[in-house]
Amino acid sequence: MTDLYRIRPADVWVQARDDYLSGLSAETVCRRHDLGLSAFRRRARKFGWRRSDQVEPDLCATDLSLYDDIQLEEQIQTARLRFVQALEIGKAIEASRWRRLWLDLREAADILHTEFYAGMSSEEIADSRGADTSDETEDEAMLLGPPASSTALLSAPPAPALQAPGMYTNLHPEKLPAPDPVGTDPSAISARPGP
């Protein structure tokens, strides 16, 4: 027995064309819409649906004015943050690309600042940058108060060390020694029964 000849309505072919031009493979489109692959390819060739038949968009015609307000410092900060994010996720190749972009942007900024401030004294540079030349980290540091003196740090008792349990402590809990009592007299410790 042979398969019946299937005629699909026009709206199925329109949806198949849209799916194919949006980036799906021909095989995926045919499975999704229950179409024959050879019929799909024939129709794509006949009506110009193939990706090779499509006109590439002109990149020069793209309106780039929406990026005018992004400053170089913001670009550097974004590249650095993307580098750190890729590093934390574990994407080494992506992290190296973001790091390269970050360093290239920093180098471009340094060259730009060197050219812009050439022949100026440090006072003139500070005046050209504006009245507010304070660093945000200085303001944050002032909120924290004065640092502790080094003698106060040295005379303070050391913090107790954290004792992490060993890797095998939960295997035989009945055989573990009891923890040493803190602040007890030595005779109480020696009177404790042994294992």
Side-chain angles (χ1 to χ4, degrees):
M1 183 143 188
T2 61
D3 291 333
L4 296 176
Y5 182 71
R6 298 174 293 187
I7 298 176
R8 298 289 177 229
D11 59 335
V12 172
W13 286 105
V14 169
Q15 185 62 40
R17 179 198 63 201
D18 293 343
D19 287 348
Y20 180 68
L21 292 178
S22 69
L24 293 177
S25 67
E27 293 83 7
T28 304
V29 171
C30 289
R31 271 193 310 265
R32 180 178 287 179
H33 298 286
D34 193 27
L35 300 171
L37 184 59
S38 60
F40 178 81
R41 291 185 191 243
R42 191 177 325 112
R43 194 172 281 236
R45 187 178 335 107
K46 182 178 179 182
F47 294 110
W49 298 354
R50 295 178 300 182
R51 292 186 186 114
S52 62
D53 296 335
Q54 303 305 309
V55 178
E56 291 291 323
D58 186 16
L59 295 178
C60 297
T62 306
D63 183 25
L64 301 176
S65 64
L66 61 120
Y67 302 114
D68 287 342
D69 61 339
I70 299 176
Q71 301 298 319
L72 183 59
E73 289 77 20
E74 293 173 359
Q75 295 173 11
I76 294 170
Q77 182 68 10
T78 301
R80 187 186 71 81
L81 291 175
R82 294 289 184 167
F83 161 65
V84 171
Q85 181 184 30
L87 208 59
E88 286 179 354
I89 294 173
K91 296 182 176 179
I93 294 174
E94 186 177 335
S96 68
R97 290 175 182 158
W98 281 112
R99 182 179 183 273
R100 189 177 320 121
L101 176 63
W102 171 44
L103 294 176
D104 288 346
L105 287 173
R106 276 187 31 199
E107 182 180 340
D110 291 342
I111 291 171
L112 184 68
H113 289 293
T114 303
E115 291 173 359
F116 184 74
Y117 296 120
M120 296 177 123
S121 67
S122 58
E123 293 84 22
E124 292 172 333
I125 293 172
D127 290 340
S128 69
R129 288 188 175 178
D132 185 26
T133 58
S134 65
D135 191 11
E136 292 177 6
T137 55
E138 287 181 24
D139 297 337
E140 292 173 6
M142 297 305 284
L143 292 174
L144 296 176
S149 66
S150 58
T151 56
L153 290 175
L154 292 176
S155 64
L162 296 176
Q163 295 180 355
M167 186 165 51
Y168 302 106
T169 56
N170 293 332
L171 293 178
H172 301 286
E174 66 277 354
K175 294 184 180 180
L176 291 177
D180 291 333
V182 178
T184 59
D185 61 336
S187 61
I189 295 174
S190 62
R192 187 179 64 203

